[in-house]
């Protein structure tokens, strides 16, 4: 770590005890949301704040809390929901907001209509087990 790294990266809060976070959205260049929060704020509260500021440029409804995953600088998904930024050891930069990537889990569909090669009409595919992904190729 160089001396300039020591000046810009800190695991302690800034002078006014806030953490600035910049949420970046996958495959959405130029779309981001910035917030200020406390190091003691929980991941759940931060996610709720993000929901309230969800960008209009992203099509569809605002996803539910359980579908939003926050990923910070290679540390993996932030959590548990009741854990704080401090608990998750989220780095605090003195010169710019901490980047946090936002990933939205897809909605799993239990039944999917498909058409067999015979063309006799739709059939119902078996339901995927809860929490698993399923792909049926015929």
């Amino acid at each position: 770590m160089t001396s300039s790294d020591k000046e810009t990266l800190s695991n302690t809060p800034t002078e006014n005890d806030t953490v600035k976070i910049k949420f970046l959205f996958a495959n959405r260049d130029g779309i981001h949301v910035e917030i200020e929060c406390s190091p003691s704020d929980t991941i759940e509260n931060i996610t709720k704040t993000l929901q309230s500021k969800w960008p209009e440029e992203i099509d569809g409804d605002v996803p539910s809390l359980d579908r939003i995953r926050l990923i910070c600088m290679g540390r993996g998904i932030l959590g548990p929901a009741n854990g704080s930024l401090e608990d998750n050891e989220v780095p605090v930069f003195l010169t710019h907001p901490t980047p946090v990537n936002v990933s939205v889990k897809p909605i799993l569909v239990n039944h999917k209509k498909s058409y067999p090669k015979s063309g006799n009409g739709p059939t119902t595919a078996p339901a995927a087990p809860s929490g698993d992904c399923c792909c049926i190729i015929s």
Side-chain angles (χ1 to χ4, degrees):
M1 181 180 292
T2 66
S3 62
S4 64
D5 291 336
K6 291 178 185 176
E7 293 170 10
T8 60
L9 176 63
S10 171
N11 284 330
T12 59
T14 58
E15 297 100 29
N16 58 1
D17 202 32
T18 62
V19 176
K20 293 180 183 178
I21 295 178
K22 183 176 186 176
F23 294 107
L24 307 168
F25 296 84
N27 301 319
R28 304 290 183 149
D29 291 340
I31 299 176
H32 63 271
V33 172
E34 289 189 28
I35 67 168
E36 288 189 15
C37 53
S38 166
S40 61
D41 284 347
T42 64
I43 301 304
E44 181 177 23
N45 288 340
I46 292 166
T47 307
K48 286 179 181 178
T49 301
L50 172 60
Q51 277 183 312
S52 72
K53 296 175 180 277
W54 197 259
E56 293 176 5
E57 298 90 353
I58 298 179
D59 298 332
D61 296 329
V62 176
S64 59
L65 282 176
D66 63 327
R67 292 185 51 222
I68 298 175
R69 295 183 284 191
L70 305 178
I71 304 165
C72 184
M73 303 185 66
R75 297 183 188 280
I77 298 170
L78 299 180
N82 63 352
S84 70
L85 289 177
E86 286 177 319
D87 296 341
N88 282 271
E89 298 179 359
V90 171
V92 176
F93 296 94
L94 302 177
T95 58
H96 59 278
T98 300
V100 174
N101 292 293
V102 179
S103 171
V104 179
K105 293 192 292 188
I107 296 173
L108 294 178
V109 178
N110 285 334
H111 290 86
K112 186 174 185 176
K113 299 275 181 180
S114 64
Y115 291 88
K117 289 185 181 185
S118 65
N120 293 334
T123 60
T124 302
S130 180
D132 291 333
C133 184
C134 180
C135 177
I136 300 173
I137 300 172
S138 56

